[in-house]
Amino acid sequence: MTAAPISMAPGQGVRSAHDVLSAQDVLSAESVRSAELSTTTARLSRPGGLDRRRLLTGAGAVAALAFTMNLPAAGTASAAELDARRITENPFTLGVASGDPHPGSVLIWTRLAPRPYEPAGGLPASRVEVTWELAHDEGFRRIVRRGSVTAHAEFAHSVRADVQGLGSGRVYHYRFRTGSWTSPTGRTRTAPAAGTRNGSLTLAAVSCQAYHDGYFTAHRHLAAEDVDVVFHLGDYLYEYAVTATGGARNYTDRRLPAHYNRETVTLEDYRLRYALYKSDPDLRAAHAAHPFVVTWDDHETENNYAGGIPENDVPPEEFLLRRASAYRAYWENQPLRTPQRPTGPDMRLHRRLTFGRLAQFDILDTRQYRSDQAYGDGWRTPGPESEDPARTMTGAAQERWLIDGWRASDATWNVVPQQVTFAQRRDVPTAAYKLSMDAWDGYPASRQRVLAGAESAGVENLMVLTGDVHVSYAFDLKKDFADPASRTVGTEIVTTSISSGKDGAERPANWENQTRANPHMKHYDGRRGYAVVTLTAKEARADFRTVSAVTTPGAPVSTAASFVTEAGNPGLEPA
C-alpha cells in the first residue's frame, strides 16, 4: 500500500523574525541574560558611527535581545510526531556533514527537506525520528556506534549527533535513516589524542561561495583532496538576491523560485537560502568527504555589519532581529555542537581545537564583537579614528581567551582561522596610501595587542588563516609593518573565494600597486579556488589551488604557487 504524501496546512511552520513576541518568549529560560543585554548595549553605545548608523534604543534592545524563536524545549510535548513512513520523497536532499573533530568524538549533521526550495522543506510542523550509524568501513559492516535523534520543526528539521567514545585519529563513515530513506554516506575523522606527537596534518581553507557568481567547482576538487579537515572562513552564503536562472550560473535547464530573488531578512529567508546552497552537488560532496570547522563573516547576516550595527540606516533593534534569524539559521545548517546554539541575537562561535601536539586552532569571530568601522568603512586614509587604542576587532573577552589559550598551548603550530586580512595591506606604493577599514588595518591597536600577546606567550610558529577578499595572498607578519626590516613573527595564508567575484584573473588590476606597496606580500593571485596547508614538526607548506573558471562548470584545478615556512624560523619561501 502506498503511503499518502505528506502535506503542510496553511499557516503551519516556524515563526519568522517578524512575528510578535509572546510573554513566554520574553520570560523563557532561553532568553538572553541581563548581563548579555548590558554587554551588547555597551558594545553599541560607542562613538564612531553616529553619522551613518543609529544606536540601539533601550526598549528596542529589550525586545530584540529577548527574541528566542520558539525553541523545542518549550514546544516538544505539543508537537505531533510524523510517521516517517509517510515521507514519500527523499528527505536527504541537503546531504550530510561533520565537524569540529575532537580526539574521542565528532559531530555529524543532516537536515530533512524533501522539497528544499519550499518553506519548511516540504515537511509539516511535526517532529521526526532519525537514526544514525557510524562505522569503520563505507559498507557499514563494522558498526562502531548507532543511535537516534529527533528532527524538530523548530530547528528546520536539522539534526546533529555528537558521537562519543571514538578512537583518536581515526577515519569513520556515517549515515542517517528515516522511514524508508537512507542518506548519502559521509566520511569523517577524529583528531589525534592530546599529547600525541603526530607526524603531519593537512588542512584546506575555503571561503566566499556566492551562489549567484558561479559554480562551486572548487568544492568538487576539494572533495577529492586528501585532507584531514576543512576550515570554512566565512561567507558560506550571501544575502543578495538570486535570479531564476541562478545569476552567473545562467541555468537553461531549471528556474529557481521567485522567493530567492530578494535579500534575506527573515528566518524563513535564511533557511531557504541555506537549502539553495546545500542543494549544490559540489558543496555536498565536499561536506561528505571531510569534516568542516566553520566560522562566519558578514554575508551570513548582512554585508559589513559590525557587532549590533547594521550596514544600512535601519533601526538597530530591527537589525538585531535579523541577526537573530541569521545566527539561528547558521547553527541549524552547520555541523556545530550544542554550546554554539545561539540565544537570541548572540552566539559564541569562537572555540579551540587541538590536533595532538602538532597544532592548536583558535577559531575567531571577527564580526559579532567588533567596533564599528572607522571613517564610514571602505578604503580610507588611516588616522586618529582608526588608530584609536580602544578599538577592537574581537572584543576584550575573546582577545583574552585567545592569548590565554596561547599561554597554555604546547603545540608546534598555533593557527588562527579567522575572517578578514590580518597583515597590513596598502593600496598604493606612495605616502598617500589607503587601508581597508573593514580588515585588521582598520583596527591596528587590536592587531598589535594580538601580536604582543603571541610574543608574550612564547608562540614561535604563528599562522593566520584568512578568507573574505576573493583573492589568494601569502604574507609575512611583521612586528612593525611600517619597517620592512622588522622581525617576521608569523605567516598569513589568505584563501581566495570558491566563486565570489566570478572567474577572476591571475593578476587583478591592482596587482602591481599592491605587490610594490607591501614587501611582506609574497603572493597575490585573483583566481578562484582554495588553499591546502600541510603541517609537520619541521615546516608548514601552503599550496594555492585555483580553477580557471566558475561561470561555466567543470573547470580543472591546478596549483598556482607553493610556499614553505620553517618551524622556529617564521617567513615564507617559495617551495
Side-chain angles (χ1 to χ4, degrees):
M1 181 176 178
T2 303
I6 58 174
S7 62
M8 187 170 179
Q12 282 187 313
V14 182
R15 294 175 299 165
S16 78
H18 293 284
D19 288 331
V20 177
L21 298 172
S22 69
Q24 182 180 12
D25 287 325
V26 176
L27 298 175
S28 167
E30 294 289 343
S31 296
V32 178
R33 300 182 303 277
S34 59
E36 292 170 317
L37 172 59
S38 299
T39 299
T40 303
T41 304
R43 202 161 62 230
L44 299 177
S45 301
R46 58 180 178 261
L50 294 174
D51 60 333
R52 69 189 179 103
R53 295 171 174 177
R54 285 177 285 171
L55 296 179
L56 188 63
T57 63
V62 172
L65 293 173
F67 181 48
T68 60
M69 294 184 288
N70 192 24
L71 299 177
T76 302
S78 60
E81 181 175 349
L82 174 68
D83 183 350
R85 292 174 297 181
R86 296 181 59 203
I87 301 176
T88 59
E89 299 172 86
N90 177 21
F92 296 110
T93 58
L94 306 183
V96 298
S98 67
D100 283 17
H102 291 179
S105 67
V106 71
L107 191 286
I108 59 174
W109 170 97
T110 194
R111 176 182 162 197
L112 307 182
R115 299 173 203 157
Y117 295 171
E118 294 183 10
L123 288 173
S126 305
R127 66 185 192 271
V128 183
E129 289 304 305
V130 180
T131 61
W132 55 266
E133 295 176 316
L134 188 133
H136 284 302
D137 63 302
E138 195 170 4
F140 289 85
R141 291 179 294 274
R142 294 184 294 150
I143 301 292
V144 178
R145 294 283 186 276
R146 55 165 51 97
S148 64
V149 64
T150 302
H152 292 285
E154 293 91 339
F155 286 139
H157 291 104
S158 63
V159 297
R160 64 203 67 230
D162 190 355
V163 186
Q164 301 283 333
L166 304 178
S168 59
R170 294 289 301 271
V171 171
Y172 293 96
H173 302 268
Y174 63 96
R175 65 188 179 188
F176 297 88
R177 287 178 170 171
T178 192
S180 62
W181 300 96
T182 301
S183 76
T185 296
R187 180 178 180 270
T188 190
R189 68 175 73 208
T190 53
T196 301
R197 294 189 179 276
N198 43 315
S200 68
L201 170 70
T202 301
L203 65 92
V206 299
S207 73
C208 302
Q209 50 194 47
Y211 187 99
H212 59 277
D213 271 357
Y215 289 90
F216 296 164
T217 307
H219 273 309
R220 175 62 62 175
H221 293 296
L222 175 58
E225 296 269 10
D226 184 15
V227 301
D228 299 299
V229 62
V230 175
F231 287 86
H232 199 296
L233 304 173
D235 294 345
Y236 190 95
L237 59 69
Y238 281 68
E239 76 275 29
Y240 303 140
V242 180
T243 65
T245 55
R249 295 185 176 211
N250 196 27
Y251 290 141
T252 58
D253 61 343
R254 75 199 80 172
R255 294 189 66 81
L256 300 177
H259 55 65
Y260 286 120
N261 199 16
R262 62 173 183 248
E263 187 165 335
T264 54
V265 175
T266 68
L267 178 58
E268 183 176 282
D269 289 340
Y270 286 106
R271 285 170 167 170
L272 283 166
R273 192 61 55 89
Y274 279 106
L276 174 63
Y277 276 58
K278 285 181 171 289
S279 68
D280 182 275
D282 296 336
L283 178 58
R284 292 202 312 270
H287 272 300
H290 313 297
F292 271 55
V293 177
V294 299
T295 188
W296 54 41
D297 194 16
D298 51 340
H299 289 289
E300 288 90 349
T301 301
E302 179 194 59
N303 178 58
N304 280 21
Y305 78 94
I309 301 174
E311 177 188 29
N312 300 311
D313 189 25
V314 300
E317 59 268 30
E318 180 180 320
F319 172 69
L320 284 190
L321 291 174
R322 179 180 183 176
R323 197 177 91 171
S325 296
Y327 285 13
R328 174 68 170 267
Y330 185 83
W331 184 82
E332 290 172 347
N333 286 279
Q334 300 291 9
L336 290 165
R337 287 183 167 82
T338 300
Q340 275 66 59
R341 192 176 77 185
T343 303
D346 297 307
M347 177 173 165
R348 176 166 173 156
L349 193 57
H350 60 281
R351 59 208 190 277
R352 179 170 294 122
L353 299 173
T354 58
F355 284 70
R357 295 190 63 180
L358 185 60
Q360 174 173 297
F361 295 93
D362 295 290
I363 300 102
L364 297 189
D365 172 0
T366 63
R367 279 292 157 193
Q368 188 175 186
Y369 313 110
R370 66 158 65 192
S371 306
D372 195 11
Q373 292 94 341
Y375 300 114
D377 206 357
W379 286 78
R380 309 292 182 192
T381 301
E385 185 179 337
S386 62
E387 294 170 357
D388 182 348
R391 290 175 56 72
T392 179
M393 176 66 86
T394 62
Q398 186 179 193
E399 184 180 293
R400 286 194 302 271
W401 167 86
L402 174 63
I403 296 170
D404 288 346
W406 282 338
R407 292 191 175 118
S409 174
D410 62 358
T412 300
W413 296 94
N414 285 277
V415 185
V416 183
Q418 56 94 53
Q419 294 75 27
V420 294
T421 304
F422 188 84
Q424 187 180 84
R425 187 170 43 120
R426 299 183 180 188
D427 66 334
V428 293
T430 66
Y433 64 85
K434 295 179 180 179
L435 302 172
S436 169
M437 294 296 105
D438 189 58
W440 286 82
D441 275 338
Y443 305 76
S446 190
R447 177 171 60 199
Q448 284 307 116
R449 288 193 300 271
V450 168
L451 289 176
E455 183 178 21
S456 69
V459 172
E460 292 185 349
N461 301 303
L462 173 64
M463 177 178 287
V464 177
L465 299 179
T466 300
D468 179 58
V469 287
H470 310 169
V471 301
S472 296
Y473 290 125
F475 291 107
D476 286 346
L477 300 180
K478 309 298 287 187
K479 184 176 176 65
D480 180 3
F481 285 104
D483 178 9
S486 173
R487 183 164 60 91
T488 298
V489 296
T491 59
E492 180 177 13
I493 303 301
V494 181
T495 182
T496 186
S497 64
I498 291 292
S499 61
S500 302
K502 302 179 183 176
D503 292 335
E506 182 178 358
R507 291 193 173 188
N510 63 358
W511 185 91
E512 185 173 354
N513 271 339
Q514 285 208 3
T515 53
R516 288 177 56 206
N518 302 285
H520 54 284
M521 181 188 291
K522 306 300 182 182
H523 169 70
Y524 179 14
D525 189 301
R527 291 170 290 183
R528 308 294 148 243
Y530 52 94
V532 175
V533 177
T534 300
L535 304 175
T536 69
K538 293 183 178 181
E539 68 176 23
R541 177 188 174 106
D543 295 302
F544 293 96
R545 307 277 278 159
T546 59
V547 295
S548 56
V550 295
T551 53
T552 54
V557 67
S558 61
T559 300
S562 300
F563 293 85
V564 295
T565 179
E566 184 182 355
N569 184 26
L572 291 163
E573 299 291 340

